[in-house]
């Protein structure tokens, strides 16, 4: 966590839900698993509300910037990944 978000995240622990088992087991393909699941359910796209500091990560995962969105932590980025080629 970045220091400038520490207080807000500690005040809102429900903002992030990631089972500790997934972190401890070194899982690194969570986005790919989500893509496959979403595509299998008929979704054409996946959307994320991303911290501006994470834009490089999501861009590397083929998400495109489509706008901004206000959150309780400030302005975030709306990003989309088309899944048609992953189905």
């Amino acid at each position: 966590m970045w220091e400038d978000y520490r207080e807000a995240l500690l005040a809102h622990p429900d903002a992030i839900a990631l089972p500790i088992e997934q972190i401890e087991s070194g899982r690194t393909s969570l986005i790919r698993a989500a893509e496959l699941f979403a595509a299998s359910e008929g979704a054409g796209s996946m959307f994320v509300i991303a911290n501006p500091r994470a834009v490089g990560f999501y861009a590397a995962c083929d998400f495109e910037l489509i706008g901004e969105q206000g959150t309780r932590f400030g302005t975030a980025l709306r990003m989309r990944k088309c899944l048609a080629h992953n189905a």
Side-chain angles (χ1 to χ4, degrees):
M1 128 176 38
W2 291 289
E3 283 302 317
D4 46 339
Y5 295 111
R6 179 178 295 281
E7 286 185 38
L9 288 172
L10 290 173
H12 302 281
D14 62 310
I16 298 175
L18 182 62
I20 191 68
E21 299 82 27
Q22 292 178 359
I23 296 170
E24 290 172 344
S25 68
R27 289 179 120 174
T28 59
S29 59
L30 293 175
I31 290 202
R32 183 64 180 145
E35 291 171 13
L36 293 172
F37 176 76
S40 76
E41 294 290 312
S45 298
M46 270 181 38
F47 296 85
V48 295
I49 305 301
N51 179 311
R53 291 184 179 182
V55 70
F57 169 77
Y58 288 109
C61 294
D62 297 323
F63 281 82
E64 63 178 326
L65 180 63
I66 59 172
E68 294 183 343
Q69 180 168 327
T71 74
R72 60 183 156 174
F73 303 111
T75 302
L77 304 176
R78 287 183 45 78
M79 300 185 81
R80 174 183 60 217
K81 178 172 185 169
C82 293
L83 301 177
H85 63 281
N86 292 325

